[in-house]
Amino acid sequence: MNIPKDLHYSKEHEWVKVEGDTVRIGITEHAQDELGDIVFVELPEAGDTIEEDEPFGSVESVKTVSELYAPLSGKVLEVNEELDDSPEFVNDSPYEKAWMIVVEPDNTSAIEKLMTAEQYQKMIEEEE
């Protein structure tokens, strides 16, 4: 399983990539693997505010609908519109093509509370 070392991870299986003053957020390879084939992705609008640990959207697979939880609070600057027409990107490329939102965080210290790749790997192993 691919767990990039340059990302941060939430207990809800979202990844966070720090890009200067903003962060890019998506779901992990483990999460998409558990969900199965993704058929629909619902995301907030640019300009919306997301709150840490609160739902900001959902992904629908052939098996279930799963909420996406914000790993930090902030303002949504950009939304990956390609997922409207190509939700399968979540299965094919969870870390590259299937990023979901770009956020300007309210407080960058929230990033420090997220897991490293090693901590996330350990959490997954303990869940199985």
Side-chain angles (χ1 to χ4, degrees):
M1 176 167 336
N2 184 18
I3 304 174
K5 300 226 182 293
D6 63 332
L7 304 178
H8 303 272
Y9 299 89
S10 75
K11 64 185 183 313
E12 301 293 343
H13 307 285
E14 279 81 25
W15 58 260
V16 174
K17 181 177 185 181
V18 178
E19 300 177 331
D21 294 339
T22 64
V23 296
R24 191 171 297 265
I25 299 171
I27 67 168
T28 65
E29 184 173 309
H30 175 75
Q32 68 78 25
D33 194 49
E34 293 287 306
L35 291 168
D37 293 336
I38 305 297
V39 295
F40 182 73
V41 179
E42 180 181 51
L43 297 171
E45 300 283 326
D48 287 354
T49 302
I50 62 171
E51 294 295 326
E52 185 175 343
D53 297 328
E54 295 295 319
F56 71 86
S58 63
V59 288
E60 183 177 338
S61 71
V62 293
K63 294 196 276 190
T64 188
V65 175
S66 183
E67 290 196 299
L68 301 166
Y69 288 89
L72 44 77
S73 299
K75 181 179 180 181
V76 178
L77 300 178
E78 193 178 343
V79 176
N80 188 347
E81 307 284 346
E82 290 187 24
L83 297 178
D84 290 344
D85 296 327
S86 302
E88 68 277 4
F89 284 173
V90 176
N91 296 115
D92 300 340
S93 181
Y95 300 111
E96 289 85 27
K97 289 183 184 175
W99 62 272
M100 297 189 172
I101 57 176
V102 175
V103 174
E104 180 179 32
D106 290 345
N107 184 350
T108 55
S109 67
I111 296 164
E112 297 164 18
K113 293 189 263 178
L114 299 172
M115 289 179 272
T116 64
E118 293 78 14
Q119 291 167 324
Y120 181 67
Q121 171 91 41
K122 186 173 184 209
M123 185 191 84
I124 293 170
E125 289 169 359
E126 288 171 356
E127 286 179 351
E128 292 176 351

